[in-house]
């Protein structure tokens, strides 16, 4: 009964996020002069990929009951690495992408090892490693720049039609292709990683253990679950998702930039996205798919700044209010708890 009630609460949070996203995006398109067009959808999808991946990266440590303050820095480091390596021949491009993703994954692995074997609280450990990641990014890319392959940039930041036209993977005149030709490639990338990486992982022993640790680590330990391996895997997968965001950001902008402010903003927004997606800051409840939706909600809110001509000086104020409201939603359940045991009922 307890597991059933937990699933119901989790589903309510996810469904609520989906409904909220649908409403605000519908209103956005109504207000936009070129709303309900593929061009607007493609542009919005491009601007959403990085925050979606960073939010997914933040989700896994949060499910453990901790926070990863290095996800924005790892994303920035990955973008700087990609700006140097993702160019040249097709083989060199693939090599650069693999190195970029491997670097972010390795950084996540280091985070996990420090937390587990160094016995340091995640929020402290990742605050320090995030500073290291930014330092490495500045070393690699001391000033903005880079040389990302132009065809790759074009193919991955436009519609499925443009991707097929660039690489000729199949016949674009096929009758089944016309209904889906308008779909943005960035949206497909998000869905593929969400479905093919996160969903299989959460069904593994390590994935289930992460949820168990977030719900009650002592009980998970007494049950003989691989606590240490699950924690290391959580931070490693978080590093992978963060590097995916950095890789796409570099491809989208065709450059790299070791921007400290940007890294911090992405980290803070990832926490808000996690909460908006229905994941509990207490751990043990939620998932990366919900965080994906939460990240899209945050990004759509930022789209309103353009069409409503909000003063740029006021945008940080609005974003701060949204962030505070999102985190407050996550803490609301704690305020209602009268008995600590109720947290895991």
């Amino acid at each position: 009964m307890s597991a059933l009630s937990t699933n119901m609460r989790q589903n309510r949070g996810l469904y609520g996020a989906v409904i909220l996203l649908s409403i605000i995006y519908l209103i956005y398109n109504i207000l936009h002069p070129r709303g309900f067009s593929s061009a607007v959808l493609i542009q919005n999808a491009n601007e959403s990929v990085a925050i979606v991946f960073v939010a997914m990266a933040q989700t896994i440590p949060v499910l453990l009951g901790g926070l990863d303050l290095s996800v924005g820095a790892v994303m920035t480091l990955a973008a700087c690495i990609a700006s140097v390596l993702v160019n040249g021949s097709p083989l060199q491009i693939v090599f650069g992408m693999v190195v970029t993703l491997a670097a972010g994954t390795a950084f996540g692995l280091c985070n996990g090892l420090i937390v587990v074997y160094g016995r340091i609280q995640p929020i402290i450990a990742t605050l320090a490693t995030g500073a290291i990641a930014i330092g490495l990014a500045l070393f690699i890319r001391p000033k903005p720049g880079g040389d990302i392959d132009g065809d790759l940039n074009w193919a991955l930041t436009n519609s499925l039609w443009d991707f097929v036209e660039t690489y000729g993977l199949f016949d674009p005149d096929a009758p089944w292709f016309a209904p889906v030709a308008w779909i943005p490639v960035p949206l497909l990338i998000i869905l593929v990683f969400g479905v093919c990486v996160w969903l299989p992982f959460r069904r593994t022993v390590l994935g289930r253990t992460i949820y168990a640790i977030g719900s009650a680590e002592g009980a998970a330990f007494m049950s003989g679950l691989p606590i240490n391996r699950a924690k290391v895997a959580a931070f490693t997968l978080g590093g992978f998702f963060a590097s995916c965001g950095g890789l796409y950001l570099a491809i989208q902008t065709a450059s790299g930039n070791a921007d400290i402010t940007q890294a911090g903003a992405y980290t803070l927004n990832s926490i808000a996205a996690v909460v908006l997606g229905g994941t509990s800051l207490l751990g043990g409840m939620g998932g990366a798919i919900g965080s994906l939706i939460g990240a899209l909600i945050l990004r759509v809110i930022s789209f309103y700044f353009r069409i409503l001509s909000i003063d740029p000086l006021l945008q940080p104020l609005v974003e701060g209010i949204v962030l505070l409201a999102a985190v407050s939603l996550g803490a609301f359940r704690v305020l209602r708890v009268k008995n600590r045991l109720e947290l895991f009922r």
Side-chain angles (χ1 to χ4, degrees):
M1 188 67 181
S2 175
L4 179 60
S5 62
T6 298
N7 288 333
M8 291 177 63
R9 288 197 302 269
Q10 179 177 338
N11 290 336
R12 281 201 301 268
L14 179 58
Y15 296 152
V18 171
I19 292 172
L20 177 59
L21 173 63
S22 302
I23 292 173
I24 63 175
Y25 194 63
L26 175 63
I27 296 173
Y28 165 78
N29 277 279
I30 292 173
L31 297 176
H32 197 291
R34 299 177 60 193
F36 300 105
S37 67
S38 59
V40 172
L41 181 59
I42 290 170
Q43 179 186 13
N44 295 344
N46 271 318
E47 296 179 19
S48 302
V49 174
I51 183 60
V52 165
F53 275 125
V54 175
M56 293 172 72
Q58 186 69 256
T59 303
I60 306 117
V62 169
L63 289 173
L64 290 172
L67 288 173
D68 186 345
L69 298 185
S70 70
V71 289
V74 173
M75 180 206 72
T76 301
L77 173 61
C80 291
I81 294 174
S83 70
V84 175
L85 297 179
V86 183
N87 53 64
S89 67
L91 187 60
Q92 289 173 321
I93 291 172
V94 172
F95 174 76
M97 296 172 71
V98 170
V99 171
T100 300
L101 297 180
T105 305
F107 211 94
L109 173 62
C110 292
N111 281 341
L113 294 175
I114 292 171
V115 169
V116 171
Y117 298 106
R119 299 185 179 181
I120 302 174
Q121 288 295 323
I123 193 170
I124 301 300
T126 56
L127 180 64
T129 57
I132 295 173
I134 287 295
L136 292 173
L138 285 168
F139 177 77
I140 295 171
R141 182 62 66 191
K143 60 181 180 179
D147 183 24
I148 299 292
D149 182 78
D151 287 340
L152 183 66
N153 170 277
W154 172 257
L156 296 188
T157 59
N158 284 283
S159 66
L160 189 58
W161 172 270
D162 297 312
F163 182 86
V164 171
E165 190 177 43
T166 301
Y167 292 106
L169 300 180
F170 50 82
D171 184 10
D173 296 324
W176 60 268
F177 182 66
V180 298
W182 57 272
I183 297 177
V185 173
L187 189 59
L188 289 178
I189 292 173
I190 292 172
L191 294 176
V192 166
F193 275 87
V195 172
C196 297
V197 178
W198 168 249
L199 292 183
F201 174 78
R202 70 172 295 174
R203 288 175 170 80
T204 64
V205 173
L206 292 178
R208 292 194 296 269
T209 300
I210 289 172
Y211 280 90
I213 294 171
S215 297
E217 184 171 350
F221 176 79
M222 295 300 293
S223 300
L225 295 175
I227 303 295
N228 289 345
R229 276 191 293 156
K231 288 183 177 181
V232 172
F235 283 96
T236 301
L237 186 58
F240 171 76
F241 279 133
S243 64
C244 288
L247 175 60
Y248 188 85
L249 184 64
I251 293 172
Q252 177 199 358
T253 61
S255 65
N257 183 13
D259 189 338
I260 300 175
T261 304
Q262 171 188 268
Y266 270 96
T267 298
L268 291 177
N269 283 314
S270 72
I271 299 171
V274 165
V275 177
L276 284 173
T279 297
S280 172
L281 290 178
L282 300 170
M285 186 175 70
I289 302 302
S291 299
L292 186 159
I293 302 299
L296 292 177
I297 291 173
L298 284 179
R299 190 53 73 203
V300 173
I301 291 173
S302 72
F303 295 157
Y304 277 85
F305 295 154
R306 291 197 293 259
I307 61 173
L308 298 179
S309 301
I310 296 177
D311 190 330
L313 296 177
L314 294 178
Q315 291 181 14
L317 172 63
V318 176
E319 291 175 347
I321 293 173
V322 172
L323 177 61
L324 179 60
V327 175
S328 297
L329 285 175
F332 181 69
R333 181 168 164 243
V334 180
L335 296 177
R336 295 188 303 165
V337 169
K338 298 178 181 178
N339 186 322
R340 186 172 175 78
L341 292 177
E342 294 180 12
L343 293 174
F344 307 107
R345 287 173 58 184

